[in-house]
Amino acid sequence: MDAEELYRRRIASRFAAFDQDGNGHISREDFTTAAGRLLEEFGVPFRSDRGQALAAGAEAFWQGMAGIADVDGDQRVTRGEFVNGAVKRLRDNPDRFAEIARPFVRALLAVADQDGDGKAGIGELERALRALGVDEHTAALAAESVDLDRSGLVDEEEAVTAFARYFMTEEPGAGTA
Ligand code: CA
Ligand code: CA
């Protein structure tokens, strides 16, 4: 398997993470579902500032994703559209992914930040990932790898950077440290 094929497989495996309702395509409903699962996990009401921020972030993330990958404009991103859109457009511009994900990531951290000190702990991030269907092992690895400065806390820049890296290039914890 060459590097390009490996990369495409990794991107394809991320498709399942976005397809929250598992119906075989990515749509607005998946982002709505993700937001709902996070709010439920952390007991944050939808009609609260943090709940509304998460819903707005999820909508912005969907719009950004659709703008990049929904080539035929049917409001659904198929596996093929996701792989091609991600591989061809985002690999050359990972900052673009970071920017479309940022409002969602910021709101996610605020929802997960139970004591409201402005930073979520890595344990809280792990809980958030598991609420989104990430398996226990991967969630633990991902949460740990996000905490670049080993502070035990996750700030927005760390999270956005790690999120883009996780979805666009490599497995968390993979490769040389
Ligand atoms: Ca779906
Ligand atoms: Ca489409």
PDB file of all heavy atoms in Angstrom, residues 11 17 23-24 26 30 33 57 67 76 78 82 84 132 136-137 155 170:
ATOM      1  N   ILE A  11      -8.421   8.840   5.940  1.00  0.00           N
ATOM      2  CA  ILE A  11      -9.489   9.827   5.776  1.00  0.00           C
ATOM      3  C   ILE A  11     -10.848   9.122   5.768  1.00  0.00           C
ATOM      4  O   ILE A  11     -11.805   9.554   6.408  1.00  0.00           O
ATOM      5  CB  ILE A  11      -9.309  10.629   4.462  1.00  0.00           C
ATOM      6  CG1 ILE A  11      -8.017  11.441   4.505  1.00  0.00           C
ATOM      7  CG2 ILE A  11     -10.503  11.528   4.223  1.00  0.00           C
ATOM      8  CD1 ILE A  11      -7.989  12.534   5.532  1.00  0.00           C
ATOM      9  N   ALA A  17     -16.595   8.748  11.865  1.00  0.00           N
ATOM     10  CA  ALA A  17     -16.683   9.621  13.037  1.00  0.00           C
ATOM     11  C   ALA A  17     -17.650  10.782  12.791  1.00  0.00           C
ATOM     12  O   ALA A  17     -18.373  11.215  13.680  1.00  0.00           O
ATOM     13  CB  ALA A  17     -15.301  10.152  13.406  1.00  0.00           C
ATOM     14  N   ASN A  23     -25.962   6.648   8.859  1.00  0.00           N
ATOM     15  CA  ASN A  23     -26.817   6.336   7.701  1.00  0.00           C
ATOM     16  C   ASN A  23     -26.058   6.364   6.377  1.00  0.00           C
ATOM     17  O   ASN A  23     -26.655   6.313   5.307  1.00  0.00           O
ATOM     18  CB  ASN A  23     -28.030   7.272   7.653  1.00  0.00           C
ATOM     19  CG  ASN A  23     -27.640   8.713   7.368  1.00  0.00           C
ATOM     20  OD1 ASN A  23     -26.454   9.043   7.359  1.00  0.00           O
ATOM     21  ND2 ASN A  23     -28.622   9.554   7.156  1.00  0.00           N
ATOM     22  N   GLY A  24     -24.717   6.478   6.450  1.00  0.00           N
ATOM     23  CA  GLY A  24     -23.927   6.333   5.236  1.00  0.00           C
ATOM     24  C   GLY A  24     -23.581   7.620   4.523  1.00  0.00           C
ATOM     25  O   GLY A  24     -22.867   7.594   3.519  1.00  0.00           O
ATOM     26  N   ILE A  26     -22.806  12.111   5.368  1.00  0.00           N
ATOM     27  CA  ILE A  26     -22.689  13.181   6.354  1.00  0.00           C
ATOM     28  C   ILE A  26     -23.656  14.287   5.953  1.00  0.00           C
ATOM     29  O   ILE A  26     -23.689  14.710   4.793  1.00  0.00           O
ATOM     30  CB  ILE A  26     -21.251  13.735   6.398  1.00  0.00           C
ATOM     31  CG1 ILE A  26     -20.252  12.628   6.763  1.00  0.00           C
ATOM     32  CG2 ILE A  26     -21.155  14.872   7.418  1.00  0.00           C
ATOM     33  CD1 ILE A  26     -18.790  13.029   6.576  1.00  0.00           C
ATOM     34  N   ASP A  30     -26.115  14.973  11.280  1.00  0.00           N
ATOM     35  CA  ASP A  30     -25.001  14.383  12.026  1.00  0.00           C
ATOM     36  C   ASP A  30     -24.392  15.392  12.997  1.00  0.00           C
ATOM     37  O   ASP A  30     -24.009  15.046  14.109  1.00  0.00           O
ATOM     38  CB  ASP A  30     -23.928  13.868  11.062  1.00  0.00           C
ATOM     39  CG  ASP A  30     -24.423  12.686  10.239  1.00  0.00           C
ATOM     40  OD1 ASP A  30     -24.952  11.740  10.837  1.00  0.00           O
ATOM     41  OD2 ASP A  30     -24.293  12.734   9.017  1.00  0.00           O
ATOM     42  N   THR A  33     -26.836  15.922  15.779  1.00  0.00           N
ATOM     43  CA  THR A  33     -26.758  14.755  16.663  1.00  0.00           C
ATOM     44  C   THR A  33     -25.537  14.842  17.570  1.00  0.00           C
ATOM     45  O   THR A  33     -25.626  14.587  18.780  1.00  0.00           O
ATOM     46  CB  THR A  33     -26.694  13.457  15.821  1.00  0.00           C
ATOM     47  OG1 THR A  33     -27.869  13.363  15.020  1.00  0.00           O
ATOM     48  CG2 THR A  33     -26.598  12.226  16.710  1.00  0.00           C
ATOM     49  N   GLY A  57     -21.885  26.389  16.482  1.00  0.00           N
ATOM     50  CA  GLY A  57     -20.599  25.848  16.034  1.00  0.00           C
ATOM     51  C   GLY A  57     -20.798  24.622  15.164  1.00  0.00           C
ATOM     52  O   GLY A  57     -20.104  24.439  14.155  1.00  0.00           O
ATOM     53  N   GLY A  67     -19.374  23.095   2.124  1.00  0.00           N
ATOM     54  CA  GLY A  67     -18.738  23.980   1.153  1.00  0.00           C
ATOM     55  C   GLY A  67     -17.510  23.345   0.520  1.00  0.00           C
ATOM     56  O   GLY A  67     -17.204  23.574  -0.645  1.00  0.00           O
ATOM     57  N   ARG A  76     -25.772  16.511   1.173  1.00  0.00           N
ATOM     58  CA  ARG A  76     -25.249  15.284   1.757  1.00  0.00           C
ATOM     59  C   ARG A  76     -23.824  15.092   1.269  1.00  0.00           C
ATOM     60  O   ARG A  76     -23.551  15.274   0.082  1.00  0.00           O
ATOM     61  CB  ARG A  76     -26.089  14.058   1.345  1.00  0.00           C
ATOM     62  CG  ARG A  76     -27.548  14.204   1.684  1.00  0.00           C
ATOM     63  CD  ARG A  76     -28.264  12.887   1.654  1.00  0.00           C
ATOM     64  NE  ARG A  76     -28.169  12.201   0.354  1.00  0.00           N
ATOM     65  CZ  ARG A  76     -28.862  11.116   0.042  1.00  0.00           C
ATOM     66  NH1 ARG A  76     -29.698  10.589   0.935  1.00  0.00           N
ATOM     67  NH2 ARG A  76     -28.726  10.556  -1.125  1.00  0.00           N
ATOM     68  N   THR A  78     -21.258  12.371   0.649  1.00  0.00           N
ATOM     69  CA  THR A  78     -21.081  10.933   0.552  1.00  0.00           C
ATOM     70  C   THR A  78     -19.646  10.570   0.934  1.00  0.00           C
ATOM     71  O   THR A  78     -18.775  11.448   1.028  1.00  0.00           O
ATOM     72  CB  THR A  78     -21.326  10.432  -0.881  1.00  0.00           C
ATOM     73  OG1 THR A  78     -20.361  11.075  -1.734  1.00  0.00           O
ATOM     74  CG2 THR A  78     -22.732  10.776  -1.358  1.00  0.00           C
ATOM     75  N   PHE A  82     -16.466  12.974   0.595  1.00  0.00           N
ATOM     76  CA  PHE A  82     -15.636  13.260   1.766  1.00  0.00           C
ATOM     77  C   PHE A  82     -14.175  12.935   1.489  1.00  0.00           C
ATOM     78  O   PHE A  82     -13.288  13.739   1.752  1.00  0.00           O
ATOM     79  CB  PHE A  82     -16.132  12.454   2.964  1.00  0.00           C
ATOM     80  CG  PHE A  82     -15.361  12.711   4.232  1.00  0.00           C
ATOM     81  CD1 PHE A  82     -15.565  13.862   4.971  1.00  0.00           C
ATOM     82  CD2 PHE A  82     -14.441  11.782   4.696  1.00  0.00           C
ATOM     83  CE1 PHE A  82     -14.861  14.096   6.146  1.00  0.00           C
ATOM     84  CE2 PHE A  82     -13.735  12.007   5.869  1.00  0.00           C
ATOM     85  CZ  PHE A  82     -13.947  13.169   6.596  1.00  0.00           C
ATOM     86  N   ASN A  84     -12.609  12.515  -1.427  1.00  0.00           N
ATOM     87  CA  ASN A  84     -12.017  13.372  -2.456  1.00  0.00           C
ATOM     88  C   ASN A  84     -11.878  14.816  -1.993  1.00  0.00           C
ATOM     89  O   ASN A  84     -10.855  15.453  -2.218  1.00  0.00           O
ATOM     90  CB  ASN A  84     -12.852  13.311  -3.730  1.00  0.00           C
ATOM     91  CG  ASN A  84     -12.702  11.961  -4.404  1.00  0.00           C
ATOM     92  OD1 ASN A  84     -11.618  11.376  -4.372  1.00  0.00           O
ATOM     93  ND2 ASN A  84     -13.769  11.459  -4.981  1.00  0.00           N
ATOM     94  N   LEU A 132     -19.139  11.039  21.546  1.00  0.00           N
ATOM     95  CA  LEU A 132     -19.278  11.098  20.083  1.00  0.00           C
ATOM     96  C   LEU A 132     -19.003   9.751  19.425  1.00  0.00           C
ATOM     97  O   LEU A 132     -18.907   9.653  18.212  1.00  0.00           O
ATOM     98  CB  LEU A 132     -18.329  12.162  19.515  1.00  0.00           C
ATOM     99  CG  LEU A 132     -18.647  13.597  19.929  1.00  0.00           C
ATOM    100  CD1 LEU A 132     -17.588  14.559  19.409  1.00  0.00           C
ATOM    101  CD2 LEU A 132     -20.033  14.015  19.443  1.00  0.00           C
ATOM    102  N   GLU A 136     -12.904   3.757  23.542  1.00  0.00           N
ATOM    103  CA  GLU A 136     -12.227   4.128  24.779  1.00  0.00           C
ATOM    104  C   GLU A 136     -10.721   4.364  24.575  1.00  0.00           C
ATOM    105  O   GLU A 136     -10.158   5.373  25.007  1.00  0.00           O
ATOM    106  CB  GLU A 136     -12.439   3.000  25.786  1.00  0.00           C
ATOM    107  CG  GLU A 136     -12.283   3.408  27.216  1.00  0.00           C
ATOM    108  CD  GLU A 136     -12.759   2.298  28.151  1.00  0.00           C
ATOM    109  OE1 GLU A 136     -13.720   1.577  27.788  1.00  0.00           O
ATOM    110  OE2 GLU A 136     -12.160   2.154  29.216  1.00  0.00           O
ATOM    111  N   HIS A 137     -10.090   3.417  23.892  1.00  0.00           N
ATOM    112  CA  HIS A 137      -8.643   3.477  23.686  1.00  0.00           C
ATOM    113  C   HIS A 137      -8.251   4.704  22.854  1.00  0.00           C
ATOM    114  O   HIS A 137      -7.353   5.469  23.233  1.00  0.00           O
ATOM    115  CB  HIS A 137      -8.192   2.185  22.989  1.00  0.00           C
ATOM    116  CG  HIS A 137      -6.729   2.140  22.704  1.00  0.00           C
ATOM    117  ND1 HIS A 137      -5.774   2.029  23.697  1.00  0.00           N
ATOM    118  CD2 HIS A 137      -6.053   2.205  21.534  1.00  0.00           C
ATOM    119  CE1 HIS A 137      -4.570   2.029  23.147  1.00  0.00           C
ATOM    120  NE2 HIS A 137      -4.709   2.134  21.841  1.00  0.00           N
ATOM    121  N   ASP A 155      -6.353  23.780  25.851  1.00  0.00           N
ATOM    122  CA  ASP A 155      -6.843  25.083  25.402  1.00  0.00           C
ATOM    123  C   ASP A 155      -7.262  24.997  23.937  1.00  0.00           C
ATOM    124  O   ASP A 155      -7.062  23.990  23.264  1.00  0.00           O
ATOM    125  CB  ASP A 155      -5.839  26.212  25.682  1.00  0.00           C
ATOM    126  CG  ASP A 155      -4.575  26.099  24.841  1.00  0.00           C
ATOM    127  OD1 ASP A 155      -4.627  25.501  23.744  1.00  0.00           O
ATOM    128  OD2 ASP A 155      -3.540  26.607  25.279  1.00  0.00           O
ATOM    129  N   GLU A 170      -2.933  12.029  10.536  1.00  0.00           N
ATOM    130  CA  GLU A 170      -2.395  10.807  11.114  1.00  0.00           C
ATOM    131  C   GLU A 170      -3.209  10.322  12.313  1.00  0.00           C
ATOM    132  O   GLU A 170      -3.980  11.053  12.892  1.00  0.00           O
ATOM    133  CB  GLU A 170      -0.948  11.029  11.547  1.00  0.00           C
ATOM    134  CG  GLU A 170      -0.831  12.136  12.578  1.00  0.00           C
ATOM    135  CD  GLU A 170       0.610  12.421  12.962  1.00  0.00           C
ATOM    136  OE1 GLU A 170       1.508  11.748  12.465  1.00  0.00           O
ATOM    137  OE2 GLU A 170       0.807  13.332  13.760  1.00  0.00           O
TER     138      GLU A 170
END
